[in-house]
Amino acid sequence: MKLTILADKKGPLISKYIYGQFAEHLGRCIYEGVWVGKDSEIPNVNGIRSDVVAALRQIKVPVVRWPGGCFADEYHWKDGIGPKENRKKIVNTHWGGVTEDNTFGTHEFFELINQLGCEAYVNGNVGSGTVYEMQEWVDYLTNPGESPMANLRRENVRQEPWRLAFFGVGNESWGCGGNMRPEYYADLYRQYQTYVRQYSTEKTYKIACGPNIDDYHWMEVLMKEATPFMDGISLHHYALTGAWEDKGPALNFPENHWYSLVESAQKMDELITKHSQIMDQYDPEKRVGLIVDEWGSWLAVEPGTNPGFLYQQNTIRDAMVAAVTLNIFHKHADRVQMANIAQMVNVLQAMILTDGPDMIKTPTYHVFDLYQNHQDGELIASYGAENQLISHTISKKAGRLTISLCNLSVDQAFTLELKKQSGAYQELAGRYITATQMDAHNSFVEPETIKVRGFADFKCVEDQLTICLPPMSVVTLTEVGS
Ligand code: AHR
C-alpha cells in the first residue's frame, strides 16, 4: 500500500465522544462489573470498584450511556433513589429475568461519572414511561432552583444539580422500546423532548431514537418530521458472523468467521454513508449528529453462562472489529458526533472482564488505548493505492500526526509506504498489539497474552515512512517531537 498524507490539509474534528461507552443493567455489567457496594472486600470508592475505574480512566472514557438499552424503556427512575431499603425490587424482564433491586440508581450513576471524569448520557423511558416522569427526571437531575424534584434531590443529600450532557428519548422504539412505527415515534419524540427542559445555562444535547441497521425509512421519517427538535439521532448496528439467530462462538472459530465478522463490522461504512445522505437532505449544514450508541461484536455467550447475560470472550478478532469501526467513524467525523460501544464491562464486546476480585483488559480495551490520541484530533486525508485488508486513520493534534493501521489478514504481513506531503516526519514512536492465533485472548489465568508493546518495525527518512505490518495487528505511530 502506498499513500500520500495531506498533512497540512484541514479536516473535520474527530469528536472524542466517538470513544463513548455503554453500560446497561444487563448481566454483570453494572452489578459486579462496576458496582460492588461499599462493604465489598473488592477495593471500591463509594461502592464503585476502583480497578475498573482506574483502567477506564487510562483510556480517557469521554461519556457513558446508561441505564440501557432495552432496560431503559422499563426503567422508572424513582425506583432507584432514596434509602436503599425502600428501593423497589423489579424483574429485569429483558435480561435473564433476574431481580433488579435498584441499588444502582441515579446518584450511583453520577458517582461513576464523577469518578471517571466524563460526561453522562442518560437514556429516558418512552416505551413504558410518561412524559411527566421523564420531565421530572430531568428536573431532578438538572434544576438548580426550587421545585419538588430539585428539593427531593436535596433530601437525598445532593445539593447541586448534575451536568446532563446527553439525553436519549427512548431506545430502540422500533423494537424492545415499544414496537412503534416511525410516524408514531416521531410524534412522541416531538412531544417528549419538549419537556426535557433546560433549567440552567447548561444545554442538554437531545437524541432521538434512530434506525436499526439499514432501516432507511425510519431515518427518512424521523428527519422529515423532527429534525428541528433534535441534536442527534441514534443508529444501532452489531457485527455478526452470520445470521442473527445463529451467533458464532467467541473462541475456537473457523477462519471464515474471522472474515465474516470483520465484513459485518465494515458494513458500518455503508450504513453511515446512506443514513448521512438522508440526513443531508433535511440537515445540509450537518448540525444533527449521527450517534452510533450501540455497536460492536455480538457473539454466542460463553458456554455455561446465563444466555440472558450476553457474556462473551474477546479476542484479537474483536480488536480488528474495534479498529475497523473506529476508523469508519473517523472517516465520517463530519456526521458522527458520538458512538458508544456495547458494552463497557462483562457484556458483549467489553473493554473489561471481571471475575470476583479479578479484572482483565480485553484486546478491545487495548485498541481504545492505542487510539486515544485520535480523540479530538483533526482528521487528515490521504490518497494513493489502498489495500482492502488494511484499514487506517491519520489525525493531527497540536501539530503532531498519529497514524493508526490495522492489518485484517490472518496470515499476510504487508509493507506500507506513507509519504508525508509538505515536510519531514517528526520523530515517531510506535506501539501495537498482535497475535499468532485467531482467537488469542486474555484470560484470568493469562491476563496479558495480548497487551500493548513497543513497535519498531518501521523506517523513517525525511518525508518517507516504511512500515512492516504483521498479520492480525493494530499499530499506532505518533509523532513525538522534531
Ligand atoms: O446491548 C444489548 C441490547 O441490544 C440493548 O439493550 C438493546 O438496545 C439492543 O438490542
Side-chain angles (χ1 to χ4, degrees), residues 20-288:
Q21 299 287 327
F22 172 34
E24 181 169 11
H25 287 239
L26 194 178
R28 299 187 301 113
C29 182
I30 294 292
Y31 299 109
E32 290 189 38
V34 170
W35 177 262
V36 287
K38 290 180 189 154
D39 300 333
S40 171
E41 282 175 10
I42 298 172
N44 71 85
V45 174
N46 296 327
I48 295 173
R49 57 190 295 170
S50 304
D51 52 356
V52 169
V53 167
L56 293 172
R57 284 183 69 95
Q58 266 174 34
I59 54 169
K60 298 197 178 76
V61 167
V63 59
V64 179
R65 175 178 183 240
W66 172 87
C70 295
F71 183 78
D73 280 287
E74 280 196 299
Y75 183 61
H76 300 284
W77 69 273
K78 282 188 186 163
D79 295 350
I81 56 168
K84 295 272 152 74
E85 57 280 11
N86 298 343
R87 296 194 188 179
K88 270 189 202 158
K89 290 188 172 56
I90 59 164
V91 178
N92 190 332
T93 45
H94 286 288
W95 308 119
V98 294
T99 302
E100 162 65 59
D101 69 3
N102 279 300
T103 298
F104 191 93
T106 297
H107 291 251
E108 292 75 18
F109 172 64
F110 278 91
E111 173 64 20
L112 170 67
I113 293 299
N114 180 43
Q115 290 188 25
L116 291 175
C118 73
E119 298 288 7
Y121 172 7
V122 171
N123 211 117
N125 178 348
V126 171
S128 70
T130 63
V131 184
Y132 188 45
E133 184 184 7
M134 188 180 280
Q135 179 187 31
E136 285 196 314
W137 200 6
V138 174
D139 184 344
Y140 186 90
L141 293 172
T142 62
N143 193 341
E146 280 283 326
S147 77
M149 288 304 107
N151 292 339
L152 180 59
R153 185 189 68 232
R154 291 188 188 99
E155 273 170 38
N156 290 327
V157 206
R158 170 75 195 191
Q159 290 303 316
E160 297 305 314
W162 291 284
R163 192 176 134 73
L164 179 62
F166 302 95
F167 192 84
V169 180
N171 167 73
E172 298 198 347
S173 305
W174 38 262
C176 66
N179 288 307
M180 299 174 198
R181 293 175 305 108
E183 294 78 7
Y184 180 68
Y185 172 75
D187 281 345
L188 278 191
Y189 174 76
R190 291 167 61 119
Q191 181 190 3
Y192 274 64
Q193 68 76 36
T194 308
Y195 300 93
V196 178
R197 298 279 189 212
Q198 193 180 324
Y199 293 95
S200 67
T201 48
E202 301 267 14
K203 189 179 176 306
T204 296
Y205 182 108
K206 297 178 197 175
I207 301 170
C209 167
N212 189 31
I213 318 175
D214 55 358
D215 185 348
Y216 300 114
H217 176 62
W218 184 283
M219 180 60 92
E220 178 80 44
V221 173
L222 261 291
M223 291 304 290
K224 182 161 178 274
E225 305 298 346
T227 293
F229 305 99
M230 62 172 85
D231 299 304
I233 182 162
S234 65
L235 167 67
H236 290 181
H237 169 58
Y238 285 96
L240 307 171
T241 54
W244 171 256
E245 308 72 36
D246 184 25
K247 300 198 180 68
L251 301 176
N252 283 317
F253 49 82
E255 189 175 309
N256 64 320
H257 277 202
W258 169 283
Y259 288 107
S260 60
L261 186 72
V262 170
E263 201 183 310
S264 174
Q266 285 169 321
K267 192 174 160 68
M268 187 68 86
D269 193 13
E270 176 192 318
L271 296 174
I272 296 177
T273 303
K274 290 189 176 167
H275 284 299
S276 298
Q277 282 164 1
I278 298 170
M279 293 176 77
D280 286 349
Q281 288 169 37
Y282 299 94
D283 175 40
E285 306 297 329
K286 296 188 191 291
R287 181 190 61 80
V288 176

Side-chain angles (χ1 to χ4, degrees), residues 444-463:
F444 292 96
V445 181
E446 289 179 273
E448 296 204 331
T449 303
I450 296 183
K451 65 175 184 181
V452 174
R453 296 181 163 85
F455 179 78
D457 210 354
F458 66 94
K459 208 172 90 195
C460 186
V461 182
E462 299 287 327
D463 60 355

